[in-house]
Amino acid sequence: MTQPLKAKLVSMLDVVYPELDCDFLAEQLLITMGLEPNQEPPPAHQNNWDESDVVLITYADTVQRADEKPLQTLHRFLGDCLSDTVSSVHILPFFPYSSDDGFSVMDYLAVNESHGGWEDIEAIARDYKLMADLVINHMSARSRWFENFRKRVDPGKDYFFEGNPRDDLSAVVRPRTSPLLNPVQTDDGERYVWCTFSEDQVDLNFANPKVLIEFVSIIRRYLERGIIIFRLDAVAFLWKEPGTPCIHLQQTHELIKILRLLIEHHSPDAVVITETNVPNRENLTYFGNANEAHVIYNFSLPPLLINTLVTGDCKHLKTWLMSMPPAQMGTTYLNFIASHDGVGMRPTDGLLTEEEKQRLINTMDSFGGKVSYRRTPDGRDQPYEINIALYDALQGTAESGRDHWQLQRFVCAHTVMLALEGIPAFYIHSLLATENDLERVEHTGRLRSINRSQWQLDDLEKKLADPLSHHSKAFQELKRLIAIRRKQPAFHPNATQFTLHLGLQLFGFWRQSMRRDQSVFCIHNISNEVQQVALGDINLIGTDHWQDLISGMTIDDLSGSITLKPYQSVWLSNLEVTV
C-alpha cells in the first residue's frame, strides 16, 4: 500500500539530508508528531481565514495589573476591550528567556513564571486563534541544551552550529554588527559557536536531524496547548554553509515544507507564518508553490507606507503594490505597519533610492526615532531598521516637520492597511497610539525598547475612557474601522485587488469579493492638502448604488466628484454592509 504522507516527507528529507537513511528519519518524525504514514492531507489551497480575521500582536506583559499575572491581565483586557475587534492574538515569546525580550529562549516547553502558566495560555487559546513564536534559528546561551553543549553531553552536545575562524565567511548576510563567531570554553576545549544575532543567541544546528526531531516534538506540544498559528522566527537564516550567504538556502526552504507538511496533517486548520525581514523579492519566495508558508509578513509595507505619508507622494507605494503577485488560494499576506521590532530598511532595497532612504531616516530621527545597523559582507555598517513608535513616526512631514495632522495621518495609515489584500495585524501599541518610550530606551540600553512600553491597566483604562486623549480617539476610530472591515466580503484576504491611478497624492485600489457581488474602491488622500476625486476616473458601475462605508455618504451623481480632506479615506461600496 502506498503511504503518500511518508513518501512526501522522505522526498523532502532527501534534499536536506542526502547522506542519511531518510526513510527511517521520516518514520521518527511521524511518530513524534503522532501521525500515520498514510494519513489524508487537508484540502488543497484551503483558506484558513476570511475578512473577519484581524490579528493583535502583543507581549505577554504589555498590560499589567497589581497582584495579577500579566497573561491573566491580557486576557481580561482582550475580553473587556477587544473581544469584538480581533480574532487572533499573537503573544510574543512567553517562555523563560535570558535576553532580547523573549527571543533568547531558555526553555521552549515552559511559560515564564512571571507571566503566568500554560493554563493562562490555554485560556486565551479557547477564545482566540493563538499565534506563538517558534524561535527556531537560535537558543539562549543560558539554556540547558547549551550547558550540555559545554559539558559535551546529550541532549545538546551537537545541537549548536560551530564555525571555524579560518573559514571564508565573507559572503554571510548579517542582520547585526556583533561578531558572527564567538569562542566558548567546553569540557573538550575551545569551540566557536555561530551567533547570527547576539552572543547570547546561539544558532541551532539543523544539519543534526535530532534538532529537527526536537522541534517537531515542541510543535506537537504547542498544538496540544491550543496554539494554532506558528510564526517561524528568523527562519531565513536556518541553514548554514560557509562560503555562501547563509540565508535563503534550499535546505531552509525544504525544512519549512517539512514542518508545514507535519503541522497541517496534524491540524488542518493550523497556519505557518514565516518572519523574513528581507528585500521584497526574497520574501516572496517563502510562499514556495503554496507548500511553504501559508502566510508571509508584508515587510515592505511599513517603510513604504510611512514614507508615503511623510512625503505626501504615493509613487513608490503604488509601484510596489502593482508589482505584488496575488497570493494563491491557501496563502496570503500578513499586513502590518508596526511591530515589536523597528521599521525594517532592507525591505526597501530596490524600492527606494539611497537618498530617499536617508531622507526617511532623517525624518524619523527628527521625530525621536533611532537607527539600528547591520554589517554587510564587505564590512560596512548600513541602516537595518528604524526604531520608533508608529504614532510618533507620523507626527509630521519630511518637508515641514511636526504639524497638527498627526492623528489623521495615523488613522489614514491603518485605513490603508485594513483594506489591502491580506490579513491585517495591529501591534498593541499602534492600536493604543502609544508614543516613543525614550525612558525605557535609557533604562534598557536597547533601541528597540522605544516601542516596547508597558501599560498599567488602570492607567490605560483612564486614557481610553478620556474622550479628549489621543489614545482614546485613535483606539475608538480604529475599532470602528475594523468593525466595518470585518463585514465586507470584498476585504477577504484573497479577494481581487487592482491598483488605481489617481495621481501622486491619492493612493487608491479596488477590491472585489470572491463572488464578485461587492466592489469597494479604497481611496486615501495621503497629503496634507485637500484633494478632489473625479468619480469618472474610478469607473463606478452606473446601475449600482454607491456608499462610503466609512462616513455613510451616498453617491448620487456618478459624473461628479468628491472632496477629501487631508488624510481622509473613503471605501466606496456597492453593497451597504455597514456596522
Side-chain angles (χ1 to χ4, degrees), residues 33 58 83 188 215 273 289 304 307 335 515 554:
M33 200 65 169
T58 181
S83 61
D188 60 4
F215 271 89
I273 299 182
N289 186 21
L304 288 180
N307 184 70
N335 293 323
R515 293 179 54 183
T554 57

Side-chain angles (χ1 to χ4, degrees), residues 284-519:
L284 289 168
T285 66
Y286 285 87
F287 277 141
N289 186 21
N291 60 353
E292 290 188 43
H294 295 93
V295 182
I296 63 172
Y297 278 76
N298 224 342
F299 270 107
S300 295
L301 178 61
L304 288 180
L305 184 51
I306 292 170
N307 184 70
T308 293
L309 287 163
V310 299
T311 62
D313 184 334
C314 69
K315 177 179 67 176
H316 295 306
L317 183 63
K318 186 166 68 171
T319 300
W320 165 77
L321 192 67
M322 288 190 294
S323 73
M324 289 295 282
Q328 293 187 48
M329 293 298 173
T331 67
T332 194
Y333 299 101
L334 189 76
N335 293 323
F336 72 108
I337 36 179
S339 74
H340 61 291
D341 290 339
V343 179
M345 292 304 291
R346 286 207 72 211
T348 65
D349 288 355
L351 301 172
L352 297 180
T353 66
E354 293 304 313
E355 292 76 16
E356 288 165 334
K357 290 179 190 178
Q358 192 57 54
R359 188 184 191 197
L360 177 60
I361 288 170
N362 292 344
T363 303
M364 295 300 101
D365 178 73
S366 73
F367 296 159
K370 311 291 182 182
V371 180
S372 299
Y373 291 84
R374 69 181 182 96
R375 187 148 294 154
T376 62
D378 60 5
R380 293 179 298 116
D381 289 351
Q382 284 194 340
Y384 180 69
E385 66 180 18
I386 303 170
N387 303 111
I388 192 167
L390 182 64
Y391 187 70
D392 278 341
L394 297 172
Q395 62 185 278
T397 65
E399 184 176 352
S400 304
R402 293 178 176 87
D403 60 25
H404 62 284
W405 297 109
Q406 183 175 11
L407 180 61
Q408 291 86 346
R409 198 179 284 112
F410 179 77
V411 170
C412 180
H414 288 98
T415 310
V416 171
M417 181 188 77
L418 279 166
L420 285 170
E421 175 188 348
I423 301 169
F426 287 80
Y427 184 43
I428 190 168
H429 288 303
S430 296
L431 206 54
L432 302 173
T434 309
E435 303 105 313
N436 290 333
D437 193 339
L438 297 175
E439 184 178 333
R440 191 170 176 84
V441 173
E442 184 80 18
H443 176 71
T444 66
R446 297 190 300 271
L447 298 183
R448 284 179 166 177
S449 297
I450 199 169
N451 197 26
R452 297 180 179 180
S453 297
Q454 293 176 322
W455 281 96
Q456 291 299 314
L457 183 59
D458 290 346
D459 294 338
L460 177 57
E461 288 175 338
K462 288 177 184 175
K463 294 286 188 184
L464 297 182
D466 178 4
L468 297 180
S469 80
H470 77 267
H471 303 286
S472 176
K473 291 175 182 177
F475 187 64
Q476 296 304 326
E477 182 61 9
L478 294 180
K479 283 189 63 173
R480 186 178 79 87
L481 290 168
I482 292 169
I484 296 170
R485 178 233 152 74
R486 296 184 77 189
K487 293 182 177 293
Q488 312 308 319
F491 287 158
H492 186 288
N494 294 91
T496 297
Q497 175 174 283
F498 284 108
T499 309
L500 303 177
H501 297 279
L502 302 170
L504 298 180
Q505 283 71 53
L506 292 168
F507 178 59
F509 48 91
W510 169 64
R511 302 294 309 279
Q512 185 181 55
S513 63
M514 295 162 79
R515 293 179 54 183
R516 304 182 72 177
D517 57 345
Q518 184 187 28
S519 287

